[in-house]
Amino acid sequence: MMAAGGADVDVGAPGSQLQPWEWESCAREAAEGVKAGTRTVLDVVETLGSPLENADPQMRARGLQMLSEVLLQCCSLLQEKEVTHLVLFFENRLKDHHVVIPSVLQGLKALSMCAVLAPGLAVSVLKAIFQEVHVQSLLQLDRHTVYSIITNFMSSREAELKSLGADFTFGFIQVMDGEKDPRNLLVAFQIVRDIIVKGYALGPFVEELFEVTSCYFPIDFVPPPNDPHGIQREDLIASLRAVLTSTPAFAEFLLPLLIEKMDSDVQSAKMDSIQTLNAVCMIYGQKELKDFLPSLWSSLRREVFQTASERIELEGLSALRALSTCLSRSVLSSDDEDLLDSFLRGILQDCRHHLCEPDMKLVWPSAKLLQAAAGGSLRAYYQITSSVIPLLVEQYNKHLQSSQRRTILEVLLGFLELRQKWSPEEEDKSPLLCSKDTLCSIVFSALVEPNVQLQLVGIRALTFLGLLQGLLDISDIDRLVNSLSQFILHEEDSQTSLAAMEAAGTLTPFYPEVFSRCLVQKLSEGLQSELQEDSTEFQQDRCLQALAAVSTHPSIMKETVPVLLQHLQKVQKGSMQAGVQSVVSVCQSLKQMALQCQQNAQNYWYFHQAVVPCLMGLAVQAAMQEDTLTMLSQVLLTEEALSAMVWVISAACMYLSPELAAQSVSKVVPLFLDGELSFLPGNSFPSSFQPLQDGQCPFQTQKKLVALLMAFVCSLPKNVPIPQQDRLLRDLLALSCSSDCLFTATAAAKCFAGLVNKHPAGPQLDELLRAAMDKLEQGLKEGSHRSQALTLLLWVSKALLLRYHPLTTHLTDKLLELLGDTVLGPAVGDGFALLMADSPDVLGKSCHADMRLMFRQRFFTECVPQMVQGFHTAAPGVKAHYLKGLSHILNHLPKPVLVTELPTLLPLLLEALSCPDCGVQLSTLHCLQPLLLDAPLVVSLHVDTLVSKFLSLTDSPAMAIRIAALQCLHALASLPTPVVIPYKPRVIRALAKPLDDKKRLVRKEAVTARGEWFLLGTPGR
């Protein structure tokens, strides 16, 4: 027979006739034959006959290793009889020389994976291993093989192993005892957990099993650097914790251990112990916890009262809550002691008196403990609050200082917030219900205090009282709403007024009728009265904000939306005095209302139908009457007002269902293409409306309204068909390159780009893009509309870049070419920021843009090498354009990508700091600041240049640049001390000047940076 290597070897020849160098070749060939079905595993044994029987242990080990490797490859092909003979053979070899044992274990591992293993053999193998092999004297890999054999048998022969009873548990304890390697411990911990969870008999060995695992607690493993196995300390902690918390049988051993470690001075041991206690409360009951509750409470109380770590304090409070939950969960019989009652009484005894101390030093620690215990269950909550709330009310009335009252009210607020965990229950004995009158009394009294912070806490407390269904009666609710109304309408402090608005928005869904009667009507009347000549813009804005804030219920929204729209209608008619800011404020309120109702499809559709036609109708009517409009009514046609309307319309469209969106878009597009006005409210339109027609329309202002079209069609989902889309796109294309108004041209370009981004791929899109390219080539030549053409190029480039369209490369090349243009170059450099940044509107996620992952990385890879090459070959007068573009790209690039490319790009960034363009300097500083922290080795090579440039920029005329330069100097101090210590005197002297800067924010950054440089090189830094 021809061997795999080409040599003629007789596989059937006895092993004694083969030379040692031929054994491996024959074994491999035999294994291939077993896989192919032309040989049996006995052929392999016969081939290896001589080494398996050799008197030299090393030779026997080599032969067994070869046999084991064959079995690992062919274990699924073996017959039951073959497996039985092999198992007996390998079991016998466990008594052989210790050199042979690792190879024998490999063979048994292969056989443990055989599905045809005869009954009883798994037990036989494990008994042999337990009796014949001292596992912990083996190497790590061989010990891991033993664990793998046990794992395999537990997965496939569970019933057989359970027949061993507690002997199996004892045998494994012997195997694991003394294990130190983390790779093996992960497997061993999993085996122990399976023994417990799967119901293997523990017998008298519960304590031994606990001891053999708990000796590793707490885990203090520190992984070596560059560990290829990737085992972390957290992995071992989680695996060991799963063992320790797997059975209540460990409770009598585990709880004393946890108490001991919690009382130690090692912070990591405290944390691990508290987290483990938190976990065991999930499976323990009163029986397990009873004897240890006083000690556990003492340890947890100390961690809160004398905490050295906020994290440990939080974990301790969480563990206390878990204990309370565990005691609440246990079913009591008539003869059992109520451990929850006695546990909580002990907590109250230790904490309650601290709430009454005059200095109030321990109020907060005590309150945290009481709230954690009360958070365990509703029963625990009732028991704690029935004792604590009357005491807090008494203390509030006893203390007269605002700061002390605020502290007590904040504690009380914590208990009110805690009640939200459980569903409302109608119980006459509820502590909150019993104390309702006194609670309302102190909360309402806090609202009339002159201290703003106390008022804020009072408003929050009032909110939670209102959220507790059935607690307040009608008179209390009326008083609540009137109090909030007073803050909203008349409070001078904006912080308090905003808090009252937030509270009103939270409570409106629960009491819509009361808020409608007591607040919405007042706000509507206030808005009308404040539009008189003596009103202030501040008062008007507050009414508008409040109307939006309370529109959290459908019935309220149907009252407030018409109020806001009527306000705009009066502005359009010129019947009231209102500036652009007033229109913008109304639109901001409408936008907030749209976002608040997005989750309710019915309310959202109502808002869409009420607002979108009205806004478009008002804008269209104003545009048609441009020559007859008063100065007051022209505010609707300003760019600021139209931009505000854009946000409202976009927010009112982006969450529509495809069916409703299709219904609405079928009316809006004909409005702009054909002047179809029938769906707009009101019929007093004096002339035609055709903003997209060729040439000059009757009133140039009509073309501005394409921004409203953009807001509508670009906010719709991709699967909504746009009627007459090709015609619309061509009209938008023409308008974007021909309009003299930059606002109109930009809106048309964005609308075109938004539709192109979502357009299905195919011949229609290709033809449309060819037409766009022709238009761009023509527009970018000498002419009066080059800026408009550039705007279109940038937006189309972004639209195609996001969806990975092949034309992106051509457009990018065009932009790189234009960087050398003396006129358009600066705008092109700034345009790269548009390409890289997240778009807030038409090409953003909220508007359902087709956006692929890692488009920035792809653009960086394709564009930046050409940009760097262009910079080196560009004329001196245009190099700044390239630096501006590069700075914007790098400033928006994900940090990990930027760090890898930094050695190549850092020299250019340093040159960009010398660019006279303030935008380039600021963008570059923002790019460099995080790199100083994340790439210290690369940055250290240029530290001399960086220090000089940063110090020079602290004298920049622009405040933002001075602040950014000081932040970079602060970050520079984090470089390795030997690198930056030579510059310490120079930097400290130079930073004395910014300390006297006329701007407070600059002085603040200078103090921080100079302080960091002063500490440079000091011990302990």
Side-chain angles (χ1 to χ4, degrees):
M1 180 179 226
M2 183 67 69
D8 291 321
V9 179
D10 184 3
V11 178
S16 58
Q17 299 179 11
L18 297 176
Q19 297 299 318
W21 64 270
E22 296 177 307
W23 297 335
E24 294 185 9
S25 175
C26 293
R28 292 194 185 96
E29 185 178 347
E32 294 298 326
V34 173
K35 291 181 183 179
T38 59
R39 289 287 183 270
T40 66
V41 74
L42 296 179
D43 294 328
V44 182
V45 177
E46 185 178 347
T47 302
L48 296 172
S50 178
L52 293 178
E53 300 171 355
N54 198 293
D56 184 0
Q58 296 286 352
M59 192 64 69
R60 292 200 303 278
R62 188 174 181 183
L64 286 167
Q65 183 63 33
M66 286 302 307
L67 177 58
S68 299
E69 289 176 3
V70 172
L71 293 178
L72 283 170
Q73 298 179 50
C74 309
C75 59
S76 61
L77 304 175
L78 299 179
Q79 301 298 317
E80 181 178 340
K81 186 177 180 180
E82 294 174 324
V83 173
T84 302
H85 287 300
L86 288 168
V87 166
L88 296 175
F89 169 73
F90 276 105
E91 275 186 25
N92 183 263
R93 284 292 175 265
L94 286 173
K95 302 175 182 179
D96 205 336
H97 194 277
H98 67 86
V99 174
V100 176
I101 300 302
S103 301
V104 175
L105 292 174
Q106 287 292 334
L108 290 173
K109 176 184 175 181
L111 295 171
S112 70
M113 295 186 287
C114 293
V116 295
L117 193 70
L121 289 182
V123 171
S124 176
V125 169
L126 290 182
K127 281 185 175 180
I129 292 175
F130 293 159
Q131 292 174 6
E132 304 295 341
V133 181
H134 183 237
V135 176
Q136 290 306 314
S137 66
L138 302 176
L139 297 176
Q140 179 271 327
L141 181 61
D142 302 324
R143 301 198 304 275
H144 194 278
T145 302
V146 174
Y147 296 129
S148 298
I149 294 170
I150 297 172
T151 301
N152 292 339
F153 283 147
M154 291 181 71
S155 300
S156 60
R157 296 291 187 273
E158 181 177 330
E160 292 182 35
L161 299 193
K162 286 182 177 179
S163 68
L164 280 171
D167 289 344
F168 173 71
T169 303
F170 179 70
F172 179 74
I173 291 172
Q174 290 181 308
V175 167
M176 180 184 173
D177 192 13
E179 181 61 65
K180 294 181 180 179
D181 191 278
R183 292 165 290 182
N184 291 346
L185 283 174
L186 285 177
V187 184
F189 289 155
Q190 184 60 48
I191 292 173
V192 176
R193 187 176 186 280
D194 288 342
I195 288 174
I196 297 169
V197 172
K198 293 183 178 180
Y200 287 79
L202 303 183
F205 305 115
V206 174
E207 184 174 2
E208 285 77 4
L209 187 62
F210 173 79
E211 292 294 339
V212 82
T213 51
S214 64
C215 62
Y216 301 99
F217 182 87
I219 297 289
D220 58 359
F221 170 69
V222 178
N226 303 318
D227 180 18
H229 306 288
I231 297 176
Q232 300 297 318
R233 178 173 175 268
E234 291 72 21
D235 301 326
L236 290 167
I237 289 175
S239 187
L240 176 57
R241 186 174 297 153
V243 173
L244 299 178
T245 61
S246 59
T247 174
F250 284 166
E252 61 178 307
F253 315 114
L254 177 61
L255 291 174
L257 176 63
L258 296 180
I259 293 169
E260 176 190 341
K261 299 302 180 183
M262 278 193 284
D263 295 343
S264 73
D265 295 328
V266 182
Q267 297 298 304
S268 60
K270 285 179 181 285
M271 178 66 69
D272 203 353
S273 301
I274 295 173
Q275 290 175 339
T276 304
L277 174 62
N278 204 333
V280 297
C281 287
M282 297 294 293
I283 64 166
Y284 285 5
Q286 291 197 10
K287 176 184 174 183
E288 288 77 23
L289 293 171
K290 180 178 180 180
D291 296 334
F292 303 98
L293 285 174
S295 298
L296 289 171
W297 161 240
S298 176
S299 298
L300 293 174
R301 179 185 59 194
R302 184 179 56 255
E303 295 308 322
V304 177
F305 277 137
Q306 305 172 13
T307 182
S309 165
E310 183 179 353
R311 189 178 169 208
I312 291 179
E313 178 188 349
L314 291 175
E315 291 292 344
L317 293 172
S318 177
L320 180 59
R321 189 178 304 110
L323 280 172
S324 178
T325 302
C326 177
L327 296 175
S328 303
R329 187 174 57 239
S330 300
V331 179
L332 296 174
S333 67
S334 57
D335 299 329
D336 287 337
E337 178 189 357
D338 187 352
L339 285 183
L340 176 66
D341 179 71
S342 58
F343 182 62
L344 295 180
R345 276 192 280 108
I347 294 175
L348 284 166
Q349 182 179 350
D350 289 344
C351 295
R352 196 173 182 272
H353 65 279
H354 291 305
L355 302 178
C356 307
E357 294 174 351
D359 56 8
M360 302 183 71
K361 288 184 178 179
L362 295 177
V363 167
W364 272 118
S366 300
K368 290 177 182 178
L369 289 166
L370 289 168
Q371 288 168 5
S377 68
L378 187 58
R379 181 167 152 237
Y381 178 81
Y382 281 169
Q383 183 168 343
I384 293 288
T385 52
S386 62
S387 174
V388 170
I389 287 182
L391 179 63
L392 291 172
V393 172
E394 176 187 338
Q395 292 300 309
Y396 181 90
N397 293 321
K398 181 179 178 180
H399 290 88
L400 300 179
Q401 294 183 13
S402 296
S403 59
Q404 294 173 325
R405 286 191 161 189
R406 187 187 71 187
T407 299
I408 295 169
L409 195 57
E410 284 177 339
V411 172
L412 185 58
L413 176 62
F415 285 103
L416 294 177
E417 291 176 347
L418 196 58
R419 181 60 183 84
Q420 302 297 310
K421 286 182 61 175
W422 303 283
S423 59
E425 291 189 11
E426 308 223 349
E427 290 190 31
D428 295 337
K429 296 183 179 180
S430 167
L432 296 179
L433 193 58
C434 296
S435 306
K436 191 254 307 182
D437 293 337
T438 53
L439 279 174
C440 290
S441 174
I442 67 169
V443 171
F444 282 118
S445 70
L447 299 182
V448 298
E449 292 278 353
N451 185 280
V452 172
Q453 297 302 318
L454 181 55
Q455 289 178 345
L456 292 173
V457 180
I459 291 172
R460 290 172 57 202
L462 194 61
T463 304
F464 281 99
L465 285 175
L467 291 174
L468 296 173
Q469 295 294 294
L471 183 66
L472 302 181
D473 54 32
I474 296 299
S475 62
D476 294 325
I477 296 169
D478 284 343
R479 188 179 178 189
L480 180 155
V481 177
N482 286 326
S483 297
L484 294 179
S485 302
Q486 187 71 18
F487 280 120
I488 292 172
L489 290 170
H490 305 294
E491 176 60 46
E492 294 182 1
D493 183 78
S494 59
Q495 190 178 7
T496 307
S497 179
L498 289 174
M501 291 182 200
E502 183 180 352
T506 302
L507 294 174
T508 296
F510 297 90
Y511 313 105
E513 297 83 2
V514 184
F515 274 95
S516 174
R517 182 181 72 251
C518 299
L519 179 58
V520 175
Q521 290 182 8
K522 290 181 181 179
L523 290 172
S524 302
E525 295 167 1
L527 183 62
Q528 298 303 320
S529 64
E530 287 168 2
L531 291 172
Q532 306 306 317
E533 293 184 3
D534 59 347
S535 68
T536 65
E537 195 172 272
F538 173 76
Q539 292 171 324
Q540 181 183 330
D541 284 348
R542 179 172 290 186
C543 283
L544 292 171
Q545 289 176 11
L547 284 170
V550 299
S551 300
T552 52
H553 188 271
S555 65
I556 299 292
M557 188 177 68
K558 290 178 181 178
E559 294 182 46
T560 55
V561 167
V563 171
L564 297 179
L565 294 179
Q566 287 169 15
H567 175 74
L568 290 178
Q569 289 168 352
K570 292 179 180 179
V571 172
Q572 192 271 331
K573 293 175 181 177
S575 59
M576 64 170 59
Q577 183 174 358
V580 174
Q581 186 55 44
S582 175
V583 176
V584 172
S585 298
V586 173
C587 290
Q588 288 174 341
S589 295
L590 287 170
K591 177 189 174 185
Q592 181 181 343
M593 293 163 66
L595 298 176
Q596 286 173 179
C597 67
Q598 61 179 298
Q599 300 298 330
N600 188 312
Q602 185 177 356
N603 295 342
Y604 191 69
W605 178 236
Y606 162 79
F607 182 89
H608 175 88
Q609 287 182 303
V611 173
V612 173
C614 183
L615 289 182
M616 288 189 172
L618 292 173
V620 169
Q621 197 163 32
M624 288 182 175
Q625 298 173 339
E626 183 182 14
D627 56 343
T628 62
L629 292 180
T630 65
M631 289 300 294
L632 289 175
S633 56
Q634 283 182 357
V635 296
L636 289 177
L637 300 177
T638 60
E639 294 178 6
E640 293 87 348
L642 289 174
S643 297
M645 291 185 193
V646 163
W647 287 110
V648 178
I649 294 174
S650 180
C653 296
M654 60 179 60
Y655 300 106
L656 285 176
S657 66
E659 297 77 18
L660 295 177
Q663 179 181 333
S664 192
V665 76
S666 65
K667 300 174 183 177
V668 173
V669 172
L671 167 67
F672 284 86
L673 288 179
D674 305 315
E676 180 57 56
L677 303 169
S678 58
F679 89 101
L680 297 180
N683 295 311
S684 56
F685 298 103
S687 60
S688 62
F689 179 68
Q690 292 181 323
L692 296 178
Q693 69 177 5
D694 294 335
Q696 296 293 320
C697 61
F699 304 112
Q700 186 67 21
T701 310
Q702 288 189 14
K703 296 194 175 199
K704 279 187 172 183
L705 303 193
V706 74
L708 305 185
L709 172 67
M710 172 201 75
F712 189 97
V713 297
C714 292
S715 300
L716 303 178
K718 289 173 60 176
N719 56 352
V720 176
I722 308 295
Q724 306 181 69
Q725 185 171 16
D726 288 344
R727 176 188 167 191
L728 177 62
L729 284 166
R730 293 185 184 280
D731 287 351
L732 289 169
L733 180 61
L735 180 61
S736 66
C737 291
S738 62
S739 177
D740 295 326
C741 174
L742 287 178
F743 178 82
T744 301
T746 302
K750 291 173 68 174
C751 189
F752 179 83
L755 292 175
V756 164
N757 174 262
K758 300 175 187 176
H759 199 293
Q764 286 185 327
L765 178 61
D766 296 338
E767 183 182 351
L768 180 68
L769 292 176
R770 279 195 294 270
M773 292 306 302
D774 294 340
K775 202 78 173 177
L776 284 169
E777 292 290 347
Q778 180 182 353
L780 288 171
K781 294 177 181 178
E782 293 298 329
S784 58
H785 295 104
R786 295 187 73 204
S787 295
Q788 289 88 329
L790 175 60
T791 300
L792 177 63
L793 173 61
L794 288 169
W795 280 102
V796 173
S797 299
K798 185 172 182 67
L800 299 181
L801 170 65
L802 291 179
R803 61 181 286 178
Y804 286 0
H805 193 279
L807 189 60
T808 304
T809 303
H810 177 71
L811 296 177
T812 303
D813 293 341
K814 188 66 180 176
L815 288 171
L816 292 173
E817 179 186 332
L818 289 172
L819 282 173
D821 190 293
T822 55
V823 178
L824 295 180
V828 176
D830 286 330
F832 282 98
L834 185 150
L835 294 179
M836 295 292 287
D838 289 324
S839 175
D841 47 18
V842 296
L843 292 177
K845 290 182 179 179
S846 61
C847 289
H848 315 285
D850 185 356
M851 186 181 301
R852 307 297 176 87
L853 293 174
M854 298 192 295
F855 73 90
R856 293 182 180 87
Q857 290 89 320
R858 178 171 179 166
F859 184 73
F860 169 82
T861 304
E862 295 178 354
C863 176
V864 168
Q866 300 178 59
M867 185 177 287
V868 172
Q869 183 180 358
F871 168 81
H872 290 302
T873 58
V878 297
K879 283 183 179 289
H881 307 164
Y882 288 88
L883 292 175
K884 181 182 287 190
L886 178 65
S887 177
H888 286 311
I889 292 175
L890 299 183
N891 206 29
H892 291 91
L893 197 66
K895 195 183 302 180
V897 179
L898 183 55
V899 169
T900 58
E901 301 292 335
L902 189 59
T904 306
L905 298 174
L906 188 56
L908 287 178
L909 289 174
L910 295 176
E911 191 161 347
L913 291 176
S914 302
C915 179
D917 189 302
C918 290
V920 175
Q921 292 176 350
L922 186 60
S923 178
T924 306
L925 288 170
H926 287 162
C927 180
L928 282 171
Q929 196 260 344
L931 295 176
L932 296 172
L933 304 173
D934 296 326
L937 296 180
V938 179
V939 173
S940 297
L941 301 176
H942 302 270
V943 64
D944 187 69
T945 307
L946 287 168
V947 169
S948 300
K949 291 190 179 294
F950 291 158
L951 289 176
S952 67
L953 289 175
T954 59
D955 288 330
S956 171
M959 181 184 74
I961 292 178
R962 299 201 300 275
I963 291 175
L966 290 168
Q967 290 172 340
C968 286
L969 282 168
H970 183 190
L972 201 64
S974 65
L975 294 181
T977 301
V979 174
V980 292
I981 196 70
Y983 302 94
K984 179 178 178 178
R986 175 186 172 189
V987 173
I988 291 175
R989 284 195 306 270
L991 289 182
K993 183 178 179 181
L995 292 177
D996 295 326
D997 196 280
K998 59 183 179 181
K999 295 295 184 180
R1000 181 183 63 84
L1001 294 177
V1002 177
R1003 297 195 299 271
K1004 178 182 176 183
E1005 292 295 341
V1007 169
T1008 304
R1010 198 165 188 252
E1012 193 67 22
W1013 279 87
F1014 260 119
L1015 295 174
L1016 193 66
T1018 57
R1021 182 184 177 275

